[in-house]
Every structure is written in C-alpha cells, then in structure tokens.
Amino acid sequence: MRISMDTAFAAGLFAMAVEPEVDFERKQSGAADIQKRDKETGERMWVVRCVDGDEDAQKRGQAELKVIIVAPAQPVLPDALAGTPFRPVEFEDLTVFPYVDGSRCKGGNHPQCRGRVAYSYRATGMRSPGRAAHAAPSKAA
C-alpha cells in the first residue's frame, strides 16, 4: 500500500547507512555475488537503515527500521545537516506492507505472547526532504 512520508513518519526520518541486502540462500550456496535481487525485475536490492524521529517509536524500541530500494546501483545518502551526523531523508514512492511478527511468541498461543504488527517498507529512491523527486539523484552512477 502506498503511503506518504508525512503519514508514515510525521516526526521525520533519518538515514544512517545503505548496504546491499544479503540473499542468504546465495550466501549458503557459496555464490560469489550474494546480493538479493528483486523477483520481478532482477534488479539489485539495497537496505537503507533509518531512525524514526518519533519519540513514541523510540520509547517502544521501534525507532530503527529498514527501507528496501530496488536499483541497479547503490543509492546515495542525502547530505547530513550542517554540524550533525543526521541525514534527513524522504523516500520516493514509499510503500508499506504490514505483517504479524510472532517472533516474540514462544510455545504457541498463550497470554504471554508478545506478537505485534510490524511493517516492511519499500521505495523506488530517496532524496533530501523538500527536494523535488526529479531534482535529486537517488542512484549512484
């Protein structure tokens, strides 16, 4: 489902790093190139690690998240704010996929299960906030 940055991250989002997404099946098979590929396009998949500026997310321990970008080359992080390590970011064509995270549940259905709704994010590119999508390159050459 497509979602606006303002709806998903009203308090802002800050990018920390971009790295290739690892395909664990390729890694286990000993392949030289272990980067995951998009099933539909065959393009490389990149993980952008981010921090949500929302204090409530920080209190719940859910401030760190990842956004997947499908692109032939590694996307370039936006510039940091002057004098800080913080890189405000907006994602182009952001989509969210909610799912049930039952990894905290042990032993089946019981009152102590701490399952939760979690979210997976994908985008087509990224840029500095306030810049037009066509004005900011989101992929390295």
Side-chain angles (χ1 to χ4, degrees):
M1 156 178 34
R2 283 202 58 188
I3 189 167
S4 73
M5 285 294 299
D6 290 337
T7 300
F9 306 107
L13 192 64
F14 303 91
M16 297 185 301
V18 179
E19 51 203 29
E21 183 170 16
V22 174
D23 183 327
F24 291 102
E25 288 180 16
R26 292 176 95 152
K27 185 175 182 177
Q28 286 181 338
S29 72
D33 180 1
I34 60 171
Q35 187 168 1
K36 196 170 195 176
R37 302 295 198 282
D38 181 70
K39 290 178 184 174
E40 292 178 20
T41 65
E43 296 269 358
R44 294 177 179 275
M45 297 175 72
W46 306 91
V47 177
V48 183
R49 292 183 326 147
C50 300
V51 175
D52 190 340
D54 180 20
E55 288 183 31
D56 288 337
Q58 294 170 17
K59 289 175 187 174
R60 292 188 310 268
Q62 297 173 343
E64 281 197 41
L65 59 111
K66 297 174 182 175
V67 178
I68 303 296
I69 294 179
V70 177
Q74 185 169 350
V76 178
L77 288 174
D79 292 332
L81 292 172
T84 76
F86 301 107
R87 298 173 181 272
V89 66
E90 284 186 353
F91 287 95
E92 299 163 13
D93 300 319
L94 182 66
T95 55
V96 61
F97 303 92
Y99 64 96
V100 175
D101 178 6
S103 63
R104 295 179 177 183
C105 296
K106 295 189 169 96
N109 295 332
H110 54 77
Q112 303 302 322
C113 181
R114 297 174 55 151
R116 65 183 177 94
V117 175
Y119 303 93
S120 173
Y121 297 96
R122 282 184 78 147
T124 59
M126 66 179 161
R127 63 179 180 265
S128 294
R131 293 188 66 185
H134 66 280
S138 61
K139 302 173 183 115

